[in-house]
Amino acid sequence: MDRYKRFGRQGAALRAAFPATVPVMTGFLCLGLAYGVLMQSKGYGPLWSTLMSAVAFGGSMQFVAITLLTAAFDPIQAFFLSIMVNARHIFYGVALLDKYKGLGKARAVLIYTLCDETFSLVSTLEPPGGVDRKRFYLSVSLLDYAYWVGGTAAGGLLGNLIAFNTKGMDFALTALFVVLFLEQWKRRENRPAGITGILCAAASLALFGPERLVIPAMVLVLIALLGGRRSLCI
């Protein structure tokens, strides 16, 4: 009887969480599909791309890793690039300390499956009345995780079964960042930080060239934002 009650509570949490995750599902399935196809085009089959999504679950870093996997291995650059690209998760974790407090063993899963989109949902949503808080947040996280892994698996299989020209698909990540930037630009208070990022990227491009601009640009952005966090209201 207790087992049926647990299943019932988990089912209620899934039903409550699913509608909120539908926008993430549409985006993750499309991006995951593109990632799986790109990995296949570089010689990595659906098993490798699915494992990468399931284990690394790095989103944007996974697209960057395609270049790292197909170029000369540079572990130092890969290490620092991974830290810079994913450093924002430090702030996500700090922001969710209170929300994830007292959730027991589920916290490990919630931390592992935390990503930009899940953070956006969890930080703004509260479980409906009668729905367990832990099960609700766990459902949101696991659904988003499943969308990404499932999209990647579908893309790997599609790229393996259907031969087509994948030229230009690697622009998907650039397009994603452009859309995210434009969404942030709509809010006037975010514009100073956006301009700071553009200026730092331009300075890094001028000083280090297109092949080495990413890490210096991110370091400059971090220094500028931390130094001017009061004036930028960060």
Side-chain angles (χ1 to χ4, degrees), residues 171-185:
F171 188 73
L173 180 62
T174 303
L176 171 63
F177 282 131
V178 169
V179 171
L180 291 174
F181 177 81
L182 292 176
E183 285 296 319
Q184 293 298 315
W185 188 263

Side-chain angles (χ1 to χ4, degrees), residues 12-141:
L14 279 170
R15 289 191 295 272
F18 176 72
T21 64
V22 169
V24 178
M25 178 181 67
T26 57
F28 272 15
L29 289 180
C30 292
L31 284 172
L33 192 73
Y35 175 72
V37 171
L38 281 173
M39 284 286 283
Q40 177 64 36
S41 70
K42 301 299 182 181
Y44 294 93
L47 177 61
W48 288 107
S49 56
T50 304
L51 279 175
M52 177 72 88
S53 288
V55 176
F57 192 54
S60 56
M61 187 59 210
Q62 287 183 228
F63 280 91
V64 176
I66 295 176
T67 302
L68 298 177
L69 289 171
T70 55
F73 182 56
D74 187 344
I76 296 176
Q77 180 188 13
F79 175 73
F80 282 105
L81 186 60
S82 299
I83 290 176
M84 291 296 176
V85 171
N86 294 310
R88 65 193 184 279
H89 288 264
I90 297 173
F91 303 100
Y92 294 168
V94 172
L96 291 177
L97 282 175
D98 289 336
K99 279 221 168 185
Y100 285 174
K101 187 176 181 179
L103 297 186
K105 295 179 181 180
R107 288 185 65 188
V109 179
L110 292 169
I111 292 168
Y112 183 76
T113 55
L114 183 62
C115 62
D116 299 356
E117 292 75 10
T118 300
F119 172 77
S120 298
L121 293 176
V122 171
S123 61
T124 56
L125 290 175
E126 292 293 338
V131 176
D132 181 73
R133 186 168 66 97
K134 178 176 71 174
R135 296 178 188 277
F136 178 75
Y137 292 142
L138 195 60
S139 296
V140 171
S141 298

